[in-house]
Amino acid sequence: MIVADIEFEKELFSVANKLRGMIAPSEYKNYVLPLIFLRYLSLKYEQRRDEINQQLINSKYSKDQIENEKILEDRTEYLKENVFYIPIKARWNYLQKNANGDKIKEIIDSAMEILESEYKELEGVLPKIFKGSNIPNEVISELIKLFSEQIFSAHDGRDVDLLGRVYEYFISNFASTEGNRGGEFFTPSSIVKLLVAMLEPTSGTVYDPACGSGGMFIQSQQLNKFRSNLKFIGQEQNELTIKMARMNGILHGIFPNIKQGDTLLNDQFPKLKAETVISNPPFNMKDWGADRISKTDQRLVGPVTNSNANYMWIQHFLYHLKDGGLAGFVIANGALTSNQIAEKSVRKYLINNDFVDCVVQLPEKMFFSTRIPSALIFLSKNRNGNFECASRTKEVLFIDASGRGSLINKKNRVFSDEEIEEIAKVYHSFKFNNDNRYVQKGFCKKINTETIIENNYKLTPTLYTGIEIKVEKEPPFKQVVGEYKAKLKQQFEESNKLQKKIIKNLDDLNLEDF
């Protein structure tokens, strides 16, 4: 099924309307998302407090003893469940009580300072920007009231997850207002889900060198809800985006190690080798600083060009991939066929040395911030049959998913859960069995690298999968006659009704009036 948009879209757009004209649209998230984060922390605290309270009531303690002995204030009882104990002046109900006061903006900043001083994990995460903003207190009060509504407050566990979706919803919508820059830190959830479903990270390190708001980490953790075997490492250039990624991680119970810096020019993890590399790097970066890359840079397997950073990103992914590991990333379609000398040289190296495992063509309109056609590439350092995988040397799986996905509005398309499962199943069949069960004309095909070389090293899936032949089945004759019969019967009934109505109208006419 296609995951529907969150049910309170109208309310969230009203938030943007309240902030309009006071701050730039690209700044909305910097104020809205910290408020959502504070609300989430309080929800988690309240839920855990209720659980502890119930456990104690069911044990030897009476309700009075619980209150008098302040057993509910034991912070270790919260932290062992990855829940922060929230001090009184940082709790959401304290913000609610003071929402109409003159100092509400100072109180919000103070709440963030309290939390950062209490927990090392939150140091430098929460932006204390409300007091210095020109947003009227009345607007802040309305935002607090909005996020206090029942739909954000249920304690059945479901709405805490919905709050996380609200967080992601704001990121996605603000990405669409920031032009191409927005796509640098937001990847639509269905593409994230597809990447994770195909990669299936279950243990070791998950590395995203352009981690943005941390969506790749979140989905990887969701795939492993009952495991704690994943370690998340990322790099991001924008400081505010790193704050969002850390908040987003905490929203979902993980604490990724994210460092700031230009990944290509200042790699913060030069010795890292990861089991899984997953990323959506910025598309088609020009004048990115290729002249600053040393010719002895260990990441290089070929030349670099300042006209486009796509293949520097690919070399970066390959370098940080551990033996036996798998990398999956988004790339602009142009990189699949580029004849630019430096880019083609790297692509030839990848194919000749048997690193390319799978290429997936994506549909149009998948991204909020760009209309550039895109694809997924999977590089593997495990193509010889080790680690419980099938041998698939000198073979590449091509999947054309350009016909999949459904429009959720005029501008954006998403994959359904069933489509994600379908694509991932085809790849896993290739990866683990290397059979032909899922070869389908116009959708997927396994190609020998010799054929790719004959096609000038081009990696466009449609070049190899062919055109899908759709055969429309004619319905049985009995069914067709039945449908016509029912339709004709309905038309006769409507005709009879119309005749009776006309006769009645004629009977009601008073001819003496004429």
Side-chain angles (χ1 to χ4, degrees):
M1 68 175 183
I2 296 174
V3 178
D5 286 344
I6 44 182
E7 298 169 357
F8 26 89
E9 178 179 316
K10 182 178 178 182
E11 287 83 355
L12 298 179
F13 270 114
S14 75
V15 172
N17 287 330
K18 294 180 192 304
L19 295 172
R20 185 173 296 164
M22 301 170 195
I23 53 177
S26 61
E27 297 296 315
Y28 293 170
K29 63 184 180 294
N30 299 332
Y31 293 89
V32 175
L33 298 181
L35 280 178
I36 295 174
F37 183 70
L38 291 178
R39 180 67 178 121
Y40 174 88
L41 292 184
S42 284
L43 275 176
K44 294 293 286 183
Y45 161 75
E46 291 164 9
Q47 286 182 307
R48 182 58 185 152
R49 191 175 191 276
D50 290 347
E51 290 172 359
I52 297 170
N53 185 44
Q54 191 59 50
Q55 291 169 5
L56 293 171
I57 289 174
N58 293 338
S59 65
K60 63 181 179 179
Y61 295 98
S62 68
K63 192 171 183 178
D64 290 340
Q65 286 176 314
I66 293 170
E67 292 176 354
N68 292 336
E69 296 180 25
K70 296 185 178 179
I71 298 172
L72 293 175
E73 308 303 308
D74 184 356
R75 302 188 180 205
T76 58
E77 290 296 322
Y78 296 87
L79 291 175
K80 71 182 183 182
E81 296 294 330
N82 283 330
V83 175
F84 293 111
Y85 172 87
I86 310 298
I88 293 174
K89 291 190 175 182
R91 294 175 191 170
W92 189 259
N93 58 12
Y94 184 79
L95 299 185
Q96 283 181 276
K97 291 175 183 177
N98 293 277
N100 296 319
D102 294 336
K103 295 185 177 181
I104 183 57
K105 292 195 286 188
E106 291 93 324
I107 290 173
I108 294 174
D109 284 350
S110 176
M112 295 182 183
E113 289 175 355
I114 291 170
L115 290 170
E116 285 196 340
S117 65
E118 288 279 340
Y119 299 104
K120 184 178 180 180
E121 298 91 336
L122 296 177
E123 285 182 10
V125 172
L126 303 174
K128 296 164 281 295
I129 57 177
F130 285 83
K131 184 178 178 180
S133 74
N134 64 342
I135 303 174
N137 289 344
E138 295 78 14
V139 173
I140 299 296
S141 175
E142 289 183 40
L143 296 183
I144 291 174
K145 289 177 183 177
L146 171 65
F147 294 124
S148 300
E149 290 181 3
Q150 183 62 30
I151 196 166
F152 298 104
S153 306
H155 279 211
D156 61 1
R158 179 180 62 88
D159 286 326
V160 170
D161 292 332
L162 281 179
L163 198 61
R165 288 194 63 205
V166 174
Y167 187 98
E168 294 169 1
Y169 174 85
F170 265 99
I171 294 174
S172 67
N173 278 274
F174 291 131
S176 68
T177 69
E178 293 188 58
N180 291 336
R181 185 177 169 273
E184 293 179 17
F185 67 85
F186 179 78
T187 309
S189 61
S190 68
I191 292 181
V192 177
K193 287 180 180 179
L194 178 58
L195 273 170
V196 173
M198 294 180 73
L199 289 168
E200 287 190 310
T202 56
S203 62
T205 297
V206 176
Y207 172 56
D208 184 350
C211 67
S213 61
M216 304 292 187
F217 299 150
I218 305 307
Q219 188 60 37
S220 297
Q221 179 68 11
Q222 293 294 321
L223 185 70
N224 296 273
K225 287 182 179 178
F226 305 107
R227 300 176 184 155
S228 57
N229 299 329
L230 295 178
K231 179 181 179 182
F232 300 101
I233 295 178
Q235 185 164 340
E236 172 59 43
Q237 190 166 4
N238 186 286
E239 183 180 0
L240 284 175
T241 306
I242 292 175
K243 292 179 186 290
M244 290 183 203
R246 287 177 176 162
M247 282 191 279
N248 206 4
I250 293 170
L251 288 182
H252 295 82
I254 64 174
F255 301 91
N257 176 14
I258 303 173
K259 292 186 179 181
Q260 184 179 4
D262 185 317
T263 299
L264 299 184
L265 300 179
N266 185 19
D267 187 357
Q268 292 294 305
F269 302 95
K271 296 182 180 181
L272 173 67
K273 299 292 183 179
E275 284 78 3
T276 303
V277 177
I278 182 170
S279 193
N280 173 25
F283 289 171
N284 299 336
M285 289 172 55
K286 299 183 184 300
D287 300 321
W288 57 275
D291 54 328
R292 295 168 58 187
I293 298 292
S294 169
K295 292 183 179 180
T296 60
D297 191 308
Q298 296 183 38
R299 297 172 294 177
L300 299 183
V301 297
V304 295
T305 171
N306 211 35
S307 63
N308 198 309
N310 289 343
Y311 272 89
M312 184 62 214
W313 281 109
I314 293 176
Q315 293 179 80
H316 182 89
F317 300 147
L318 184 68
Y319 169 78
H320 283 288
L321 191 61
K322 187 176 183 179
D323 287 341
L326 183 63
F329 50 90
V330 186
I331 201 75
N333 267 12
L336 303 178
T337 59
S338 172
N339 281 320
Q340 203 280 338
I341 295 175
E343 296 182 340
K344 187 174 181 180
S345 174
V346 175
R347 192 167 72 251
K348 290 173 66 175
Y349 174 89
L350 296 173
I351 295 168
N352 291 337
N353 288 276
D354 210 27
F355 288 116
V356 181
D357 205 34
C358 179
V359 184
V360 180
Q361 180 63 60
L362 295 175
E364 296 180 345
K365 300 182 178 180
M366 293 296 289
F367 289 86
F368 289 94
S369 56
T370 180
R371 293 290 173 259
I372 299 174
S374 54
L376 306 181
I377 296 181
F378 294 84
L379 304 179
S380 174
K381 287 188 176 180
N382 176 27
R383 304 249 298 155
N384 56 6
N386 293 329
F387 304 99
E388 300 181 357
C389 293
S391 174
R392 50 202 190 281
T393 56
K394 302 300 179 181
E395 294 177 316
V396 178
L397 179 66
F398 289 93
I399 300 175
D400 179 12
S402 60
R404 268 57 175 179
S406 300
L407 289 170
I408 56 173
N409 54 48
K410 292 181 179 179
K411 294 182 178 180
N412 299 117
R413 184 182 299 274
V414 300
F415 288 126
S416 68
D417 291 343
E418 291 78 9
E419 288 169 331
I420 290 171
E421 182 180 359
E422 174 193 25
I423 297 168
K425 186 177 180 181
V426 170
Y427 174 60
H428 294 159
S429 174
F430 173 69
K431 177 182 175 183
F432 295 110
N433 304 309
N434 194 9
D435 54 32
N436 295 312
R437 286 182 296 168
Y438 300 105
V439 172
Q440 180 180 333
K441 187 172 183 180
F443 178 56
C444 58
K445 192 171 183 180
K446 181 175 63 176
I447 298 294
N448 191 284
T449 53
E450 290 181 3
T451 303
I452 298 173
I453 294 171
E454 290 173 2
N455 280 282
N456 202 22
Y457 291 90
K458 293 179 180 179
L459 292 175
T460 306
T462 52
L463 185 63
Y464 304 102
T465 59
I467 299 174
E468 185 175 4
I469 300 175
K470 294 184 178 181
V471 179
E472 295 186 6
K473 289 186 177 181
E474 293 186 3
F477 179 74
K478 185 177 179 180
Q479 178 183 333
V480 174
V481 172
E483 290 174 354
Y484 277 120
K485 182 179 177 181
K487 188 174 182 180
L488 191 60
K489 183 179 178 181
Q490 181 185 4
Q491 290 174 341
F492 283 158
E493 289 174 353
E494 291 176 356
S495 176
N496 290 334
K497 289 179 182 178
L498 183 59
Q499 288 180 36
K500 291 177 181 179
K501 186 175 180 181
I502 292 172
I503 292 172
K504 184 178 182 303
N505 289 339
L506 289 173
D507 289 341
D508 290 342
L509 285 175
N510 188 348
L511 298 179
E512 294 179 357
D513 293 338
F514 292 90

